């Protein structure tokens, strides 16, 4: 239903005949007049007829919570390999300094004091697969190769077919591929890479689809709140996956590490039942939405996604500086986040010498801080927005400055913590935790700039950002292969620092909170209208009197 066809409550009150018709229609279909909380037929705008009593629980809450859980499961399925690969490969029996026999190299590694400094103990030899750091980087990065392909199509598909189907299908198919990951790994490395590639392919549609739905359901001044809740799913998924996955990988449950894939893949299938049963694409098509909630959403009709699909203005998007600010900012965030997400367990294993159980727990701790800080920052920004203390643009800038400059400073400090395990964990917790502010930053900007293309814009930025997901583990692997030393990891941290600095500055300079002119379908110019009108007039004359038309053209000036 097009938003332009939705009537208001006031208009219904002024049109008794329309109100009576609505009542009789409801009586005819249901046998009774509409009562409070009575389900509404799909497609009814909910604004005419008898008023519907409002519940304290809004349907948007159900949508947001299920989206939160869906994203958490999606990230768990994405991250599970990062922790499982530690058990799959084991700790190979090389000393971090073995690539050089010079004594001064020993100052560039951290001794494993729990085993008297001996890192070549017997249990370090255990591991089902003999993958070096480069192969591990390829396996971890293969997910993002597929992820890059479907972000933009996923955004457009959500705008055409609705985000409910696209988002749900992405999670369910990802769950099925996660379930077969252990089998694929044991068949061949190439098969595992292919499965992870397709897992990334189906997950590529998830964020664009949910962003398109948020643009349809959430007015601008509530986006900090809802975006924080929904997008907190990705640190939550990481927080749950790493310790639970670490425990499962070190256990004997279903063979150890395969059980982690079975758990999160199976849960995603169960989640899909609730998603497809309870969630709807748009407010006006929801059978259980209250009149008050629908009126509230429709009051911001110009700032939310319309029901009509608008042609994609490719040229206008490419020439938009605010879009480029958003794109570069998203790229910087993704590069830093994926570097820490995929490589943190490896750093804690090889440099700080955490065992399997400790690794999962310690790897999750920074993302727990990120999850909690996201809620604190989102709540603060929501209050400041409601009180009109800060503009939306200022909130976007502050959020991204904290989310990128904060981790940038933290990674500089990581270059100096050396073998101080407690200090390293404290700095990592602060660095990763502050990035939770991005929920109120670039993740809202797609909806601010062009709600009609929120899915497609996120698809574009996510597609470019996925390149960071491919490059981050490959770059890290190439630097640290056979060289698990403090100086090698300093190089990894400093590369990320440089990316943070450049990209965040670009975002802050060029970002806007204003809906862009290309968000709406282009209207015809007066010249185009005149030309089209003349053509239509000529066609009409030709149909009615072909000879007359030729006569008119042959005798100009004759009335």
């Amino acid at each position: 239903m097009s938003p332009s066809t939705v009537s208001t409550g006031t208009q219904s009150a002024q049109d008794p005949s329309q109100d009576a018709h609505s009542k009789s229609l409801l009586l005819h279909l249901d046998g009774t007049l509409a009562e409070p909380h009575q389900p509404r037929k799909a497609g009814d705008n909910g604004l005419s007829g008898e008023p519907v009593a409002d519940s304290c629980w809004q349907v948007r809450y159900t949508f947001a919570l299920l989206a939160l859980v869906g994203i958490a499961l999606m990230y768990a399925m994405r991250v599970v390999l990062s922790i499982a690969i530690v058990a799959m490969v084991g700790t190979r029996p090389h000393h971090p300094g073995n690539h050089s026999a010079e004594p001064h190299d020993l100052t560039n590694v951290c001794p494993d004091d729990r085993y008297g400094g001996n890192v070549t103990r017997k249990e370090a030899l255990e591991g089902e697969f003999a993958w070096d750091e480069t192969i591990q980087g390829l396996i971890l990065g293969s997910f993002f190769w597929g992820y890059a392909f479907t972000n933009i199509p996923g955004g457009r598909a959500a705008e055409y077919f609705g985000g409910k189907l696209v988002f749900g299908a992405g999670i369910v198919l990802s769950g099925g591929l996660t379930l077969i990951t252990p089998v694929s790994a044991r068949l061949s490395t190439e098969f595992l890479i292919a499965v992870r590639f397709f897992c990334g392919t189906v997950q590529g549609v998830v964020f664009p689809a949910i962003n398109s739905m948020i643009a349809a359901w959430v007015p601008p001044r509530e986006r900090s709140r809802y975006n924080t809740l929904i997008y907190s799913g990705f640190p939550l998924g990481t927080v749950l996956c790493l310790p639970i996955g670490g425990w499962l990988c070190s256990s004997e449950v279903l063979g150890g590490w395969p059980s982690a894939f079975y758990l999160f893949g199976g849960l995603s299938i169960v989640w899909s039942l609730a998603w497809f049963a309870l969630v709807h694409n748009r407010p006006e098509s929801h059978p259980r939405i209250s009149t008050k909630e629908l009126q509230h959403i429709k009051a911001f009709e110009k700032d939310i996604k319309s029901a009509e699909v608008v042609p994609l203005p490719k040229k206008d998007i490419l020439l938009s500086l605010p879009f480029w600010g958003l794109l570069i900012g998203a790229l910087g965030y993704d590069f830093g986040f994926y570097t820490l997400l995929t490589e943190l367990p490896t750093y804690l294993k090889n440099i700080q010498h955490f065992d399997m159980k400790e690794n999962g727990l310690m790897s999750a701790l920074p993302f727990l801080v990120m999850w909690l800080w996201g809620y604190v920052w989102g709540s603060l920004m929501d209050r400041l927005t409601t009180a009109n203390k800060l503009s939306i643009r200022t909130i976007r800038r502050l959020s991204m400055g904290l989310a990128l400059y904060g981790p940038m400073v933290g990674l500089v400090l990581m270059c100096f913590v050396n073998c101080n395990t407690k200090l390293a964990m404290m700095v990592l917790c602060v660095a990763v935790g502050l990035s939770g502010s991005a929920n109120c930053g670039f993740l809202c900007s797609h909806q601010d700039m062009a709600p009609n293309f929120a899915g497609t814009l996120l698809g574009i930025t996510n597609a470019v950002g996925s390149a960071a997901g491919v490059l981050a583990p490959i770059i890290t692997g190439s630097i640290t292969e056979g060289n698990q030393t403090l100086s090698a990891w300093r190089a990894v941290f400093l590369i990320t620092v440089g990316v943070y600095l450049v990209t965040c500055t670009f975002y802050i300079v060029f970002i806007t909170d204003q809906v862009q002119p290309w968000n709406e379908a282009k209207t015809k110019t007066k010249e185009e209208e005149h030309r089209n009108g003349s053509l239509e007039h000529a066609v009409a004359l030709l149909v009615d009197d072909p000879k007359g038309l030729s006569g008119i053209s042959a005798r100009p000036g004759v009335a």
Side-chain angles (χ1 to χ4, degrees):
M1 178 184 298
S2 172
S4 62
T5 64
V6 178
S7 59
T8 64
T10 305
Q11 290 171 330
S12 295
Q14 294 173 348
D15 190 352
S17 62
Q18 181 182 1
D19 189 50
H21 173 71
S22 300
K23 290 181 180 180
S24 63
L25 181 61
L26 288 176
L27 179 62
H28 175 70
L29 292 176
D30 302 328
T32 180
L33 291 176
E35 295 295 331
H37 305 296
Q38 183 174 352
R40 185 179 294 108
K41 295 296 179 183
D44 183 8
N45 60 30
L47 298 179
S48 60
E50 291 293 307
V52 180
D54 297 307
S55 169
C56 60
W57 183 266
Q58 299 181 12
V59 295
R60 286 185 298 168
Y61 300 162
T62 302
F63 157 66
L65 287 175
L66 284 174
L68 160 67
V69 176
I71 291 176
L73 289 170
M74 182 198 77
Y75 252 80
M77 291 184 286
R78 179 184 301 192
V79 174
V80 64
L81 185 60
S82 296
I83 190 68
I85 202 169
V86 178
M88 295 165 74
V89 176
T91 306
R92 291 185 296 153
H94 69 275
H95 191 285
N98 278 356
H99 64 284
S100 174
E102 297 181 13
H104 69 266
D105 282 342
L106 296 177
T107 64
N108 202 21
V109 298
C110 295
D112 193 347
D113 296 331
R114 296 168 302 162
Y115 297 90
N118 178 21
V119 297
T120 59
R121 56 192 183 276
K122 180 179 179 181
E123 65 179 5
L125 298 172
E126 297 179 357
E128 190 171 341
F129 303 96
W131 298 325
D132 61 24
E133 282 81 358
T134 300
I135 296 298
Q136 292 179 52
L138 289 173
I139 293 171
L140 291 171
S142 61
F143 174 95
F144 298 97
W145 303 344
Y147 192 74
F149 283 105
T150 52
N151 270 271
I152 298 175
R156 285 308 274 171
E159 289 157 7
Y160 273 96
F161 306 113
K164 172 184 174 179
L165 174 62
V166 178
F167 182 83
I171 303 294
V172 171
L173 293 175
S174 178
L177 291 166
T178 301
L179 289 172
I180 67 171
T181 299
V183 175
S184 67
R186 285 167 173 160
L187 287 175
S188 71
T189 302
E190 293 78 11
F191 195 25
L192 172 61
I193 290 175
V195 168
R196 290 297 292 178
F197 173 87
F198 286 115
C199 189
T201 300
V202 297
Q203 282 200 16
V205 305
V206 169
F207 275 129
I210 201 63
N211 211 46
S212 180
M213 293 188 73
I214 293 172
W217 278 91
V218 182
R221 290 190 172 272
E222 297 177 6
R223 284 174 185 157
S224 292
R225 182 194 318 161
Y226 278 89
N227 274 36
T228 296
L229 175 63
I230 292 171
Y231 287 121
S232 68
F234 65 82
L236 176 61
T238 306
V239 166
L240 294 176
C241 176
L242 290 176
I244 294 174
W247 177 79
L248 288 172
C249 289
S250 63
S251 72
E252 299 298 325
V253 177
L254 297 176
W257 62 264
S259 61
F261 294 94
Y262 300 148
L263 174 64
F264 297 112
L267 286 175
S268 69
I269 306 299
V270 175
W271 165 89
S272 68
L273 302 177
W275 174 261
F276 286 112
L278 300 176
V279 173
H280 293 262
N281 283 318
R282 296 190 57 81
E284 60 266 25
S285 66
H286 201 297
R288 292 175 297 277
I289 192 170
S290 68
T291 303
K292 181 179 180 180
E293 184 178 5
L294 185 57
Q295 286 176 331
H296 170 69
I297 297 171
K298 288 302 178 183
F300 299 90
E301 196 169 50
K302 294 182 179 179
D303 297 311
I304 62 175
K305 182 182 179 298
S306 67
E308 297 177 357
V309 179
V310 181
L312 186 65
K314 303 180 185 67
K315 182 179 178 181
D316 292 331
I317 292 175
L318 290 175
L319 295 177
S320 171
L321 268 180
F323 168 74
W324 281 100
L326 170 60
L327 181 65
I328 299 300
L331 175 62
Y333 177 85
D334 287 339
F335 185 90
F337 182 77
Y338 289 138
T339 297
L340 294 171
L341 180 69
T342 59
E343 301 301 331
L344 188 56
T346 302
Y347 169 80
L348 294 178
K349 177 191 74 171
N350 292 327
I351 301 300
Q352 301 299 340
H353 304 301
F354 287 107
D355 62 27
M356 193 69 243
K357 291 181 181 178
E358 290 176 322
N359 198 336
L361 184 61
M362 292 299 102
S363 296
L365 190 57
F367 296 97
L368 175 61
V369 177
M370 177 184 178
W371 180 52
L372 295 174
W373 173 249
Y375 281 118
V376 172
W377 184 258
S379 177
L380 176 61
M381 294 301 100
D382 184 56
R383 289 176 180 272
L384 291 173
T385 303
T386 304
N388 291 317
K389 297 294 185 181
L390 292 176
S391 68
I392 293 178
R393 186 182 186 188
T394 301
I395 287 174
R396 302 291 179 256
R397 286 172 161 176
L398 283 175
S399 298
M400 284 297 281
L402 195 59
L404 271 69
Y405 288 148
M408 179 189 73
V409 174
L411 291 181
V412 171
L413 295 177
M414 283 298 296
C415 296
F416 300 96
V417 300
N418 296 327
C419 300
N420 189 328
T421 302
K422 292 182 180 178
L423 182 59
M425 285 308 306
M426 288 176 60
V427 173
L428 283 171
C429 284
V430 174
V432 177
L434 290 176
S435 62
S437 305
N439 291 337
C440 301
F442 83 100
L443 288 171
C444 293
S445 293
H446 309 82
Q447 302 152 31
D448 293 338
M449 291 168 53
N452 286 333
F453 303 109
T456 300
L457 292 187
L458 185 60
I460 296 171
T461 58
N462 240 14
V464 174
S466 65
V470 174
L471 292 174
I474 291 177
I475 292 172
T476 302
S478 65
I479 294 173
T480 60
E481 182 177 359
N483 187 28
Q484 291 290 342
T485 61
L486 291 169
S487 60
W489 280 95
R490 287 190 195 109
V492 173
F493 295 147
L494 289 176
I495 289 172
T496 310
V497 165
V499 173
Y500 272 143
L501 177 62
V502 173
T503 56
C504 186
T505 303
F506 202 90
Y507 176 92
I508 288 174
V509 170
F510 292 109
I511 200 59
T512 181
D513 64 326
Q514 299 300 309
V515 175
Q516 297 300 289
W518 41 265
N519 177 64
E520 303 294 339
K522 287 186 176 180
T523 56
K524 295 179 181 178
T525 64
K526 291 184 178 180
E527 181 180 350
E528 289 174 331
E529 289 177 353
H530 176 71
R531 188 187 309 119
N532 291 340
S534 299
L535 179 61
E536 290 169 2
H537 180 64
V539 171
L541 288 175
L542 179 62
V543 172
D544 294 337
D545 185 7
K547 294 182 179 180
L549 179 61
S550 59
I552 291 175
S553 60
R555 293 176 291 166
V558 178

